[in-house]
């Protein structure tokens, strides 16, 4: 086993390009009556809608599926920016379409039943997709701006690899198993995280989803339409969720707890409460060279004071607070701004601490704005309460993976689809060690040996949950 992944291939799809003409994958769905949506399909064996046998054994002479390393090499150049070396896989863009094509090809190369649901989430099934008590695994393939290679894709690649591992073991499944790619988990384009899982669970209504717009004013329905999907079908999917008995998401750790403990794999206990707030500071545009300092109503000063106040408030509460995105109008070098809009991301170990931090930041913003003669408004754009993963499922994972040394259980400040779905179905998470703790960055990394350990752990979990 090599110690590191192969070097990424030269980038294609640098940056965000317009969505390409939809190919055979676009708009497929299992939901009847949806325009331009196709039924469950398998291309390697069986007729349309035929479910594969629930067995781990491969047919005689059947070509083996792509290995973990091969899948990683195929996926790694998609959406990778040539200059930053980070990923720009935004929802319903060209790189996103290429990731979706890759997912479908992985499903078909394994003879799995492929479908896209009403919300654009992709599914690959071993067993009957309409049967009850299914065990599902997977993650997402989209990214934050200039994100790393592992956040999301590691979970999807590992899910296919774990299924391959079980088939090599000759596992006999008593329940359907699926790999899923949830759409728009990062929220990089439309500003709301976990859109695919929120729609499916009903936490995002169809009406609210239709109001989402990207930085260029393109709405979510318009983006889906341009990518070849039918936006009129989006909305809650309780029938699908009712057929799922457990969802287990593997993810690279976004922190260094496993590195400090010396463990390659851990189990999630909870996700911190977190949210996003938009701060609009409105002042008066004027000439940068001729307007006296005393005569200015400069919203940039109020914004800058608020950023510093956020850091102080987070430190006092043992929380985190980040202004990571800003928009300025008129955005001229020689012009005093009329509007500074900043987005706050804040997270804490409990709701009381989060409330304390966000209240302190808003108070500081209003005080600074008053001193500068600036108006300020604050809008909470999204919020996710604390998520305690189901103890029974979490404990079951601990029993399955427990050996001479118990698997560590740890919390996280990062949001995930598993957290969104936890209000509807039993969910759990596995973390793979991140030696630097860096995430949402091109420097995000996990050693190949640890990734392989994650695949084996996930295979053990799937076998324990679906083969009994």
């Amino acid at each position: 086993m090599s110690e590191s992944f192969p070097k990424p291939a030269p980038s294609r799809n640098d940056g965000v390009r317009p969505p390409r003409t939809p190919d055979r994958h676009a708009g497929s769905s299992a939901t009847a009556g949806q325009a331009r949506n196709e039924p469950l399909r398998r291309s390697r064996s069986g007729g349309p809608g035929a479910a594969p046998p629930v067995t781990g054994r491969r047919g005689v002479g059947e070509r083996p599926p792509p290995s973990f390393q091969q899948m990683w090499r195929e996926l790694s150049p998609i959406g990778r920016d040539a200059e930053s070396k980070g990923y720009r896989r935004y929802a319903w863009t060209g790189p996103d379409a290429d990731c979706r094509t890759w997912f479908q090809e992985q499903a078909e190369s394994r003879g799995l039943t492929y479908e896209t649901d009403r919300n654009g989430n992709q599914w690959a099934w071993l067993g009957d997709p309409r049967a009850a008590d299914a065990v599902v695994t997977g993650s997402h393939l989209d990214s934050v701006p200039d994100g790393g290679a592992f956040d999301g894709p590691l979970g999807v690649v590992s899910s296919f690899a774990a299924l391959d591992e079980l088939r090599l073991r000759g596992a006999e499944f008593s329940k359907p198993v699926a790999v899923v790619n949830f759409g728009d988990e990062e929220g990089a384009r439309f500003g709301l995280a976990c859109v695919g899982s929120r729609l499916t669970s009903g936490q995002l209504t169809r009406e609210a989803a239709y109001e989402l717009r990207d930085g260029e004013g393109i709405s979510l329905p318009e983006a889906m339409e341009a990518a070849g999907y039918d936006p009129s079908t989006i909305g809650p999917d309780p029938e699908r969720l009712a057929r799922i008995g457990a969802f287990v998401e593997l993810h690279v750790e976004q922190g260094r707890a496993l590195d400090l403990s010396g463990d390659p794999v851990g189990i999630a206990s909870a996700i911190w409460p977190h949210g996003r707030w938009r701060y609009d500071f409105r002042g008066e545009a004027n000439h940068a060279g001729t307007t006296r300092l005393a005569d200015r109503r400069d919203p940039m000063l109020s914004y800058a004071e608020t950023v510093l106040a956020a850091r102080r408030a987070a430190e006092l509460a043992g929380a985190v607070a980040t202004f990571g995105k800003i928009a300025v109008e008129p955005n001229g070098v020689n012009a005093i701004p009329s509007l500074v809009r900043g987005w706050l991301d804040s997270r804490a170990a409990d709701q009381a601490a989060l409330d304390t931090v966000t209240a302190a930041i808003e108070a500081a913003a209003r005080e600074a704005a008053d001193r500068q003669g600036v108006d300020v408004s604050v809008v909470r754009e999204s919020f996710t309460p604390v998520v305690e993963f189901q103890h029974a499922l979490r404990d079951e994972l601990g029993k399955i993976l427990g050996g001479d040394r118990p698997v560590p259980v740890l919390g996280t400040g990062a949001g995930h689809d598993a957290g969104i779905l936890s209000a509807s179905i039993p969910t759990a998470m596995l973390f793979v060690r991140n030696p630097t703790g860096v995430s949402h960055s091109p420097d995000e990394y996990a050693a190949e040996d640890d990734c392989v350990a994650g695949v084996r752990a996930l295979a053990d979990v799937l076998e324990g949950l679906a083969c009994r």
Side-chain angles (χ1 to χ4, degrees):
M1 180 62 61
S2 60
E3 295 182 355
S4 60
F5 288 109
K7 293 182 179 179
S11 173
R12 70 176 190 268
N13 309 329
D14 296 336
V16 178
R17 58 180 173 80
R20 64 183 182 186
T21 302
D23 58 16
R24 56 189 166 81
H25 81 286
S28 60
S29 174
T31 305
Q34 296 179 13
R36 286 175 292 132
N37 292 341
E38 54 188 288
L40 298 174
R41 59 184 292 176
R42 293 181 67 222
S43 66
R44 301 300 180 189
S45 61
V54 187
T55 177
R57 297 183 177 87
R58 303 190 63 81
V60 177
E62 191 175 351
R63 177 182 296 180
S67 66
F68 182 99
Q69 291 82 359
Q70 183 179 346
M71 285 189 285
W72 199 260
R73 285 194 298 268
E74 291 174 355
L75 190 59
S76 65
I78 298 176
R80 188 167 182 257
D81 184 71
E83 294 185 6
S84 70
K85 308 304 180 185
Y87 288 89
R88 300 177 181 180
R89 298 169 175 164
Y90 307 147
W92 310 114
T93 63
D96 182 58
D98 289 340
C99 287
R100 290 172 174 273
T101 297
W102 174 89
F103 183 95
Q104 181 175 354
E105 290 172 347
Q106 297 307 312
E108 293 180 343
S109 72
R110 291 165 172 82
L112 305 177
T113 302
Y114 171 80
E115 63 170 331
T116 303
D117 67 23
R118 60 163 50 102
N119 296 308
N121 305 312
Q122 295 179 287
W123 302 76
W125 290 91
L126 178 66
D128 184 359
R130 296 181 178 89
D133 206 23
V135 177
V136 178
T137 185
S139 191
H140 64 94
L141 294 174
D142 66 312
S143 76
V144 298
D146 287 334
F150 294 81
D151 178 358
L154 179 61
V156 177
V157 172
S158 296
S159 295
F160 281 119
L163 192 56
D164 297 340
E165 167 70 15
L166 291 179
R167 298 175 98 171
L168 285 174
R169 295 179 189 178
E172 298 288 341
F173 294 88
S174 58
K175 302 175 183 179
V177 176
V179 177
V180 63
N181 167 35
F182 282 109
D184 199 7
E185 192 270 355
E186 296 291 4
R189 183 173 182 183
F190 297 101
L192 179 65
C194 301
V195 169
S197 57
R198 286 183 192 270
L199 281 169
T200 299
S201 63
Q203 296 183 41
L204 174 64
T205 66
R206 179 176 180 272
E207 292 74 21
Y210 267 52
E211 294 298 318
L212 295 176
R213 294 184 179 274
D214 66 11
E216 297 180 357
I218 299 172
S219 70
L220 174 62
E222 290 170 341
M224 293 181 70
E225 184 83 25
Y229 291 78
D230 183 5
S232 69
T233 64
I234 64 175
D237 201 348
E239 296 85 1
R240 179 177 298 275
L241 292 179
R243 298 194 298 269
I244 298 175
F247 173 59
V248 180
E249 181 176 6
L250 180 144
H251 205 279
V252 67
E253 186 192 3
Q254 295 167 296
R256 288 191 58 218
L258 292 174
D259 182 62
L260 295 174
S261 69
D263 295 282
V265 177
I267 299 173
S269 60
I271 297 176
W272 286 10
H274 55 279
R276 296 179 181 182
W277 291 259
R278 189 185 76 238
Y279 279 67
D280 288 354
F281 297 90
R282 298 184 182 275
E284 181 181 55
N286 215 326
H287 197 293
T290 61
T291 308
R292 296 190 317 150
L293 295 180
D295 294 337
R296 300 186 181 203
R297 295 177 55 226
D298 188 347
M300 187 64 77
L301 296 179
S302 304
Y303 171 73
E305 290 189 35
T306 303
V307 173
L308 295 175
R311 176 60 179 260
R312 290 192 295 269
E315 288 177 336
L316 290 173
V320 291
T322 307
F323 278 95
K325 180 180 177 181
I326 184 174
V328 180
E329 295 179 8
N331 204 29
V333 174
N334 58 350
I336 299 167
S338 60
L339 169 67
V340 176
R341 175 171 291 152
W343 282 265
L344 168 70
D345 178 301
S346 189
R347 309 167 191 234
D350 56 65
Q351 188 63 52
L354 182 61
D355 290 343
T356 297
V357 170
T358 54
I361 296 171
E362 181 171 346
R366 297 193 182 283
E367 181 181 343
D370 185 64
R371 285 199 306 271
Q372 301 295 334
V374 169
D375 297 324
V376 61
S377 63
V378 182
V379 176
R380 190 178 76 178
E381 293 192 334
S382 68
F383 174 73
T384 302
V386 63
V387 172
E388 281 279 351
F389 289 111
Q390 189 192 68
H391 289 194
L393 181 57
R394 185 185 72 192
D395 294 344
E396 182 67 15
L397 264 62
K399 292 177 183 177
I400 293 171
L401 300 178
D404 296 335
R405 179 174 179 175
V407 178
V409 178
L410 55 148
T412 179
H416 301 282
D417 290 309
I420 298 297
L421 295 174
S422 67
S424 303
I425 59 176
T427 65
M429 292 192 71
L430 295 176
F431 291 131
V432 172
R433 176 165 50 193
N434 179 338
T436 65
V438 173
S439 187
H440 285 189
S441 161
D443 293 332
E444 183 179 77
Y445 178 73
E448 185 173 342
D449 286 350
D450 287 346
C451 293
V452 171
V455 170
R456 290 173 179 158
L458 181 59
D460 290 343
V461 165
L462 296 180
E463 186 171 24
L465 296 178
C467 299
R468 58 185 180 183

